[in-house]
Amino acid sequence: MEKESKIFIFETGIKDGVFSENKKFYPSYFTKNDIRKQFLQTKKNISEKYNFNDKKIFQAYQKTENNKLDYENGKYIVITDDLIKEDCWYNLIPTDIFILSKKVKDVVLGNQMADCPILIVEDREKEVTALSHCGASYINRMLPVDTVKALIKEFNSNIDDLYVYVGSCAKKENYIYDKYPFWATDEKVWKDLIIEKEDGFHIDMNGAIRKQLEQIGIKHIEESPIDTITDSRYYSHRAASMGKKEKLGQNFVGFYYKQKEK
Protein backbone atom coordinates (compact mmCIF):
# COMPACT_ATOMS: atom_id res chain seq x y z
CA MET A 1 0.00 0.00 0.00
CA GLU A 2 1.41 3.37 -1.05
CA LYS A 3 2.25 5.67 1.85
CA GLU A 4 0.98 9.23 1.74
CA SER A 5 3.43 12.03 1.00
CA LYS A 6 4.27 14.28 3.94
CA ILE A 7 5.76 17.11 1.89
CA PHE A 8 4.29 20.07 0.00
CA ILE A 9 6.02 20.86 -3.30
CA PHE A 10 5.66 24.25 -4.98
CA GLU A 11 6.99 25.96 -8.10
CA THR A 12 7.10 29.70 -8.72
CA GLY A 13 6.90 31.42 -12.09
CA ILE A 14 6.70 34.73 -13.89
CA LYS A 15 3.64 36.01 -12.04
CA ASP A 16 5.48 35.50 -8.73
CA GLY A 17 8.46 37.62 -9.78
CA VAL A 18 12.17 37.01 -10.31
CA PHE A 19 13.59 34.70 -7.65
CA SER A 20 17.15 35.98 -7.92
CA GLU A 21 19.37 38.94 -7.11
CA ASN A 22 21.34 38.68 -10.36
CA LYS A 23 21.46 42.18 -11.82
CA LYS A 24 20.88 40.90 -15.37
CA PHE A 25 17.24 40.28 -14.45
CA TYR A 26 16.59 43.89 -13.36
CA PRO A 27 16.47 47.30 -15.04
CA SER A 28 19.95 48.77 -15.61
CA TYR A 29 19.19 51.73 -13.35
CA PHE A 30 18.49 49.50 -10.32
CA THR A 31 21.09 49.80 -7.58
CA LYS A 32 22.23 46.81 -5.56
CA ASN A 33 19.97 47.98 -2.75
CA ASP A 34 17.02 48.27 -5.15
CA ILE A 35 17.56 44.69 -6.29
CA ARG A 36 17.91 43.36 -2.74
CA LYS A 37 14.76 45.15 -1.65
CA GLN A 38 12.71 43.81 -4.57
CA PHE A 39 14.04 40.27 -4.17
CA LEU A 40 13.28 40.19 -0.45
CA GLN A 41 9.75 41.38 -1.17
CA THR A 42 9.34 38.69 -3.84
CA LYS A 43 10.60 36.06 -1.40
CA LYS A 44 8.20 37.28 1.26
CA ASN A 45 5.22 37.34 -1.14
CA ILE A 46 5.91 33.78 -2.24
CA SER A 47 6.26 32.60 1.36
CA GLU A 48 2.86 34.09 2.18
CA LYS A 49 1.32 32.52 -0.93
CA TYR A 50 2.58 29.04 -0.03
CA ASN A 51 2.48 29.42 3.76
CA PHE A 52 6.10 29.11 4.91
CA ASN A 53 8.73 31.20 6.70
CA ASP A 54 10.65 33.30 4.16
CA LYS A 55 13.68 33.38 6.48
CA LYS A 56 14.05 29.57 6.48
CA ILE A 57 14.78 28.78 2.83
CA PHE A 58 17.91 26.79 2.04
CA GLN A 59 19.50 26.55 -1.41
CA ALA A 60 22.70 24.58 -2.01
CA TYR A 61 25.75 26.59 -3.05
CA GLN A 62 26.55 24.29 -5.95
CA LYS A 63 29.85 24.19 -7.83
CA THR A 64 29.93 25.46 -11.39
CA GLU A 65 32.60 26.03 -14.00
CA ASN A 66 32.86 29.67 -12.88
CA ASN A 67 32.67 29.80 -9.08
CA LYS A 68 35.79 27.69 -8.38
CA LEU A 69 34.12 25.68 -5.61
CA ASP A 70 35.83 22.36 -5.03
CA TYR A 71 34.11 19.46 -3.27
CA GLU A 72 33.54 15.79 -3.97
CA ASN A 73 30.75 15.05 -6.45
CA GLY A 74 27.54 14.09 -4.67
CA LYS A 75 28.38 15.91 -1.44
CA TYR A 76 25.33 16.19 0.80
CA ILE A 77 24.40 18.17 3.90
CA VAL A 78 21.67 17.22 6.37
CA ILE A 79 19.83 20.31 7.62
CA THR A 80 20.01 20.69 11.39
CA ASP A 81 18.73 23.39 13.69
CA ASP A 82 22.23 24.81 14.17
CA LEU A 83 22.35 25.73 10.46
CA ILE A 84 19.35 28.01 10.81
CA LYS A 85 20.52 31.63 10.77
CA GLU A 86 18.76 35.01 10.64
CA ASP A 87 18.01 34.48 6.94
CA CYS A 88 18.99 31.00 5.75
CA TRP A 89 19.01 32.11 2.11
CA TYR A 90 22.31 33.87 2.77
CA ASN A 91 23.86 30.90 4.59
CA LEU A 92 25.91 29.70 1.60
CA ILE A 93 26.79 26.04 2.11
CA PRO A 94 28.87 24.38 -0.66
CA THR A 95 27.17 21.11 -1.55
CA ASP A 96 25.25 19.29 -4.26
CA ILE A 97 22.46 17.92 -2.11
CA PHE A 98 20.45 19.02 0.90
CA ILE A 99 18.50 16.57 3.05
CA LEU A 100 15.67 17.59 5.35
CA SER A 101 14.03 15.55 8.09
CA LYS A 102 10.46 16.09 9.17
CA LYS A 103 11.86 16.59 12.67
CA VAL A 104 13.37 19.94 11.65
CA LYS A 105 10.41 22.29 11.65
CA ASP A 106 9.39 25.08 9.26
CA VAL A 107 12.30 24.74 6.82
CA VAL A 108 12.08 24.95 3.01
CA LEU A 109 14.57 23.30 0.67
CA GLY A 110 14.65 24.45 -2.92
CA ASN A 111 16.59 25.81 -5.84
CA GLN A 112 16.38 28.48 -8.48
CA MET A 113 15.82 27.20 -12.00
CA ALA A 114 14.90 28.43 -15.45
CA ASP A 115 15.19 25.28 -17.58
CA CYS A 116 16.98 22.71 -15.40
CA PRO A 117 15.03 20.09 -13.45
CA ILE A 118 14.96 20.09 -9.67
CA LEU A 119 14.99 16.58 -8.21
CA ILE A 120 13.11 15.85 -4.97
CA VAL A 121 13.45 12.37 -3.43
CA GLU A 122 11.13 11.64 -0.51
CA ASP A 123 11.62 8.68 1.82
CA ARG A 124 8.05 8.27 3.03
CA GLU A 125 9.00 5.66 5.61
CA LYS A 126 11.91 7.47 7.31
CA GLU A 127 10.33 10.90 6.70
CA VAL A 128 13.44 12.46 5.20
CA THR A 129 13.72 14.13 1.78
CA ALA A 130 16.65 15.07 -0.44
CA LEU A 131 16.75 17.82 -3.08
CA SER A 132 19.25 18.56 -5.83
CA HIS A 133 19.51 20.87 -8.83
CA CYS A 134 20.06 18.50 -11.77
CA GLY A 135 21.00 20.54 -14.81
CA ALA A 136 22.41 18.69 -17.79
CA SER A 137 26.05 18.85 -16.68
CA TYR A 138 25.07 17.47 -13.26
CA ILE A 139 23.00 14.70 -14.83
CA ASN A 140 26.15 13.89 -16.82
CA ARG A 141 28.04 13.26 -13.56
CA MET A 142 25.24 11.11 -12.13
CA LEU A 143 23.86 13.54 -9.55
CA PRO A 144 20.37 11.92 -9.64
CA VAL A 145 21.95 8.64 -8.48
CA ASP A 146 24.08 10.46 -5.90
CA THR A 147 20.94 12.08 -4.49
CA VAL A 148 19.42 8.68 -3.84
CA LYS A 149 22.71 7.31 -2.49
CA ALA A 150 22.84 10.16 0.02
CA LEU A 151 19.58 9.00 1.58
CA ILE A 152 20.71 5.39 1.60
CA LYS A 153 24.05 6.25 3.18
CA GLU A 154 22.77 8.68 5.81
CA PHE A 155 19.40 7.16 6.69
CA ASN A 156 19.60 3.59 5.38
CA SER A 157 16.67 4.33 3.07
CA ASN A 158 14.99 1.45 1.26
CA ILE A 159 14.68 1.97 -2.50
CA ASP A 160 11.03 0.88 -2.40
CA ASP A 161 10.20 3.72 0.02
CA LEU A 162 11.59 6.46 -2.23
CA TYR A 163 9.26 8.67 -4.26
CA VAL A 164 10.76 11.03 -6.81
CA TYR A 165 9.46 14.29 -8.22
CA VAL A 166 11.22 15.83 -11.23
CA GLY A 167 10.26 19.48 -11.57
CA SER A 168 9.29 21.51 -14.61
CA CYS A 169 12.14 21.93 -17.08
CA ALA A 170 13.17 22.17 -20.73
CA LYS A 171 11.84 19.17 -22.67
CA LYS A 172 13.47 17.26 -25.49
CA GLU A 173 11.09 18.67 -28.09
CA ASN A 174 12.48 22.18 -27.59
CA TYR A 175 15.82 21.79 -25.78
CA ILE A 176 18.04 21.83 -28.87
CA TYR A 177 21.75 22.50 -29.44
CA ASP A 178 23.24 23.24 -32.85
CA LYS A 179 26.26 21.09 -31.93
CA TYR A 180 26.69 18.03 -29.73
CA PRO A 181 26.90 19.54 -26.21
CA PHE A 182 30.39 19.81 -24.74
CA TRP A 183 29.21 18.77 -21.26
CA ALA A 184 27.85 15.40 -22.47
CA THR A 185 31.06 13.49 -21.76
CA ASP A 186 29.54 10.23 -20.50
CA GLU A 187 28.21 8.31 -23.49
CA LYS A 188 26.36 5.80 -21.29
CA VAL A 189 24.33 8.58 -19.66
CA TRP A 190 23.21 10.11 -22.95
CA LYS A 191 22.91 7.07 -25.22
CA ASP A 192 19.64 7.49 -27.18
CA LEU A 193 18.85 10.62 -25.12
CA ILE A 194 20.69 13.18 -27.26
CA ILE A 195 19.26 12.72 -30.73
CA GLU A 196 20.42 14.55 -33.84
CA LYS A 197 17.56 15.76 -36.04
CA GLU A 198 17.34 18.25 -38.90
CA ASP A 199 17.03 21.20 -36.50
CA GLY A 200 19.86 20.14 -34.19
CA PHE A 201 20.62 17.92 -31.20
CA HIS A 202 17.57 17.28 -28.99
CA ILE A 203 18.43 16.76 -25.32
CA ASP A 204 16.21 14.61 -23.11
CA MET A 205 17.06 15.50 -19.51
CA ASN A 206 13.93 13.82 -18.16
CA GLY A 207 14.82 10.61 -19.95
CA ALA A 208 18.38 10.69 -18.64
CA ILE A 209 17.22 11.19 -15.05
CA ARG A 210 14.61 8.46 -15.34
CA LYS A 211 17.15 6.06 -16.85
CA GLN A 212 19.60 6.59 -13.98
CA LEU A 213 16.94 6.18 -11.32
CA GLU A 214 15.30 3.11 -12.86
CA GLN A 215 18.69 1.42 -13.19
CA ILE A 216 19.13 1.56 -9.41
CA GLY A 217 15.59 0.30 -8.75
CA ILE A 218 13.51 3.45 -8.21
CA LYS A 219 9.89 2.62 -9.03
CA HIS A 220 8.02 5.79 -8.09
CA ILE A 221 8.87 8.67 -10.43
CA GLU A 222 6.59 11.65 -11.11
CA GLU A 223 7.62 14.18 -13.75
CA SER A 224 6.14 17.61 -14.24
CA PRO A 225 4.80 17.78 -17.81
CA ILE A 226 5.57 21.51 -18.03
CA ASP A 227 8.14 22.65 -20.59
CA THR A 228 9.68 25.88 -19.31
CA ILE A 229 10.77 26.89 -22.81
CA THR A 230 7.22 27.06 -24.17
CA ASP A 231 5.04 27.56 -21.09
CA SER A 232 4.18 31.26 -20.71
CA ARG A 233 3.96 30.94 -16.92
CA TYR A 234 7.66 30.14 -16.47
CA TYR A 235 10.95 31.92 -16.93
CA SER A 236 13.32 30.20 -19.38
CA HIS A 237 16.93 31.06 -20.15
CA ARG A 238 16.69 29.14 -23.38
CA ALA A 239 13.60 31.01 -24.56
CA ALA A 240 15.08 34.35 -23.47
CA SER A 241 18.23 33.64 -25.48
CA MET A 242 16.03 33.13 -28.53
CA GLY A 243 14.55 36.62 -28.19
CA LYS A 244 11.64 36.14 -25.78
CA LYS A 245 12.79 38.77 -23.29
CA GLU A 246 9.71 38.35 -21.10
CA LYS A 247 11.08 34.89 -20.23
CA LEU A 248 14.29 36.29 -18.69
CA GLY A 249 14.31 35.51 -14.97
CA GLN A 250 14.48 32.76 -12.36
CA ASN A 251 11.79 30.42 -11.07
CA PHE A 252 12.09 28.51 -7.80
CA VAL A 253 11.14 24.93 -6.98
CA GLY A 254 11.00 23.83 -3.37
CA PHE A 255 9.28 21.77 -0.70
CA TYR A 256 8.62 21.68 3.01
CA TYR A 257 7.16 19.19 5.45
CA LYS A 258 3.48 19.74 6.05
CA GLN A 259 2.56 20.40 9.67
CA LYS A 260 -0.55 19.01 11.28
CA GLU A 261 -3.46 21.41 11.54
CA LYS A 262 -3.72 22.86 15.02
Side-chain angles (χ1 to χ4, degrees), residues 78-110:
V78 180
I79 298 297
T80 55
D81 286 326
D82 62 345
L83 292 177
I84 297 173
K85 309 297 183 184
E86 183 178 352
D87 189 337
C88 299
W89 183 256
Y90 298 104
N91 185 11
L92 301 181
I93 302 173
T95 191
D96 275 333
I97 303 155
F98 270 137
I99 300 175
L100 179 65
S101 166
K102 188 183 178 187
K103 296 175 182 177
V104 180
K105 306 296 185 184
D106 302 323
V107 165
V108 170
L109 295 189

Side-chain angles (χ1 to χ4, degrees), residues 148-164:
V148 171
K149 285 182 176 179
L151 288 171
I152 294 171
K153 181 178 180 181
E154 188 69 24
F155 293 95
N156 198 28
S157 291
N158 186 314
I159 284 286
D160 292 338
D161 297 326
L162 300 182
Y163 290 75
V164 173

Side-chain angles (χ1 to χ4, degrees), residues 129-162:
T129 300
L131 181 144
S132 60
H133 166 256
C134 289
S137 62
Y138 302 109
I139 296 170
N140 184 74
R141 64 172 171 83
M142 305 290 286
L143 183 52
V145 170
D146 284 339
T147 306
V148 171
K149 285 182 176 179
L151 288 171
I152 294 171
K153 181 178 180 181
E154 188 69 24
F155 293 95
N156 198 28
S157 291
N158 186 314
I159 284 286
D160 292 338
D161 297 326
L162 300 182

Side-chain angles (χ1 to χ4, degrees), residues 37-251:
K37 182 178 179 181
Q38 184 160 321
F39 171 71
L40 291 176
Q41 187 60 54
T42 297
K43 186 157 68 81
K44 182 173 176 54
N45 292 346
I46 289 168
S47 73
E48 291 173 351
K49 178 178 179 179
Y50 292 108
N51 194 30
F52 62 82
N53 187 335
D54 69 308
K55 298 293 194 295
K56 292 188 177 182
I57 306 172
F58 283 90
Q59 172 175 268
Y61 185 28
Q62 196 174 24
K63 63 181 177 181
T64 68
E65 289 186 347
N66 300 320
N67 63 17
K68 298 182 181 180
L69 285 181
D70 185 22
Y71 55 75
E72 183 179 354
N73 287 351
K75 179 183 177 183
Y76 67 87
I77 298 289
V78 180
I79 298 297
T80 55
D81 286 326
D82 62 345
L83 292 177
I84 297 173
K85 309 297 183 184
E86 183 178 352
D87 189 337
C88 299
W89 183 256
Y90 298 104
N91 185 11
L92 301 181
I93 302 173
T95 191
D96 275 333
I97 303 155
F98 270 137
I99 300 175
L100 179 65
S101 166
K102 188 183 178 187
K103 296 175 182 177
V104 180
K105 306 296 185 184
D106 302 323
V107 165
V108 170
L109 295 189
N111 215 102
Q112 300 159 321
M113 52 75 63
D115 286 313
C116 297
I118 305 303
L119 186 71
I120 298 173
V121 186
E122 180 187 9
D123 183 334
R124 295 187 180 178
E125 185 65 35
K126 300 288 178 62
E127 297 185 335
V128 291
T129 300
L131 181 144
S132 60
H133 166 256
C134 289
S137 62
Y138 302 109
I139 296 170
N140 184 74
R141 64 172 171 83
M142 305 290 286
L143 183 52
V145 170
D146 284 339
T147 306
V148 171
K149 285 182 176 179
L151 288 171
I152 294 171
K153 181 178 180 181
E154 188 69 24
F155 293 95
N156 198 28
S157 291
N158 186 314
I159 284 286
D160 292 338
D161 297 326
L162 300 182
Y163 290 75
V164 173
Y165 174 75
V166 185
S168 302
C169 64
K171 306 296 187 184
K172 62 182 179 180
E173 291 80 9
N174 299 293
Y175 191 28
I176 306 168
Y177 273 45
D178 59 352
K179 299 177 181 178
Y180 193 86
F182 68 91
W183 41 256
T185 58
D186 191 328
E187 293 182 8
K188 291 182 294 184
V189 169
W190 300 106
K191 180 176 170 55
D192 300 324
L193 296 166
I194 298 179
I195 304 296
E196 185 177 10
K197 298 185 179 182
E198 288 185 4
D199 56 350
F201 292 86
H202 289 245
I203 300 155
D204 186 357
M205 293 189 291
N206 281 105
I209 291 173
R210 187 167 59 250
K211 177 181 174 182
Q212 287 186 29
L213 296 179
E214 288 178 346
Q215 284 178 342
I216 61 172
I218 296 290
K219 300 179 180 66
H220 313 290
I221 303 174
E222 176 189 353
E223 298 172 352
S224 167
I226 293 169
D227 187 336
T228 49
I229 296 176
T230 57
D231 195 302
S232 62
R233 297 171 296 177
Y234 285 75
Y235 294 113
S236 164
H237 290 170
R238 196 71 178 171
S241 72
M242 295 186 291
K244 297 183 178 179
K245 299 305 181 185
E246 73 278 6
K247 300 273 279 178
L248 183 64
Q250 288 277 57
N251 314 296

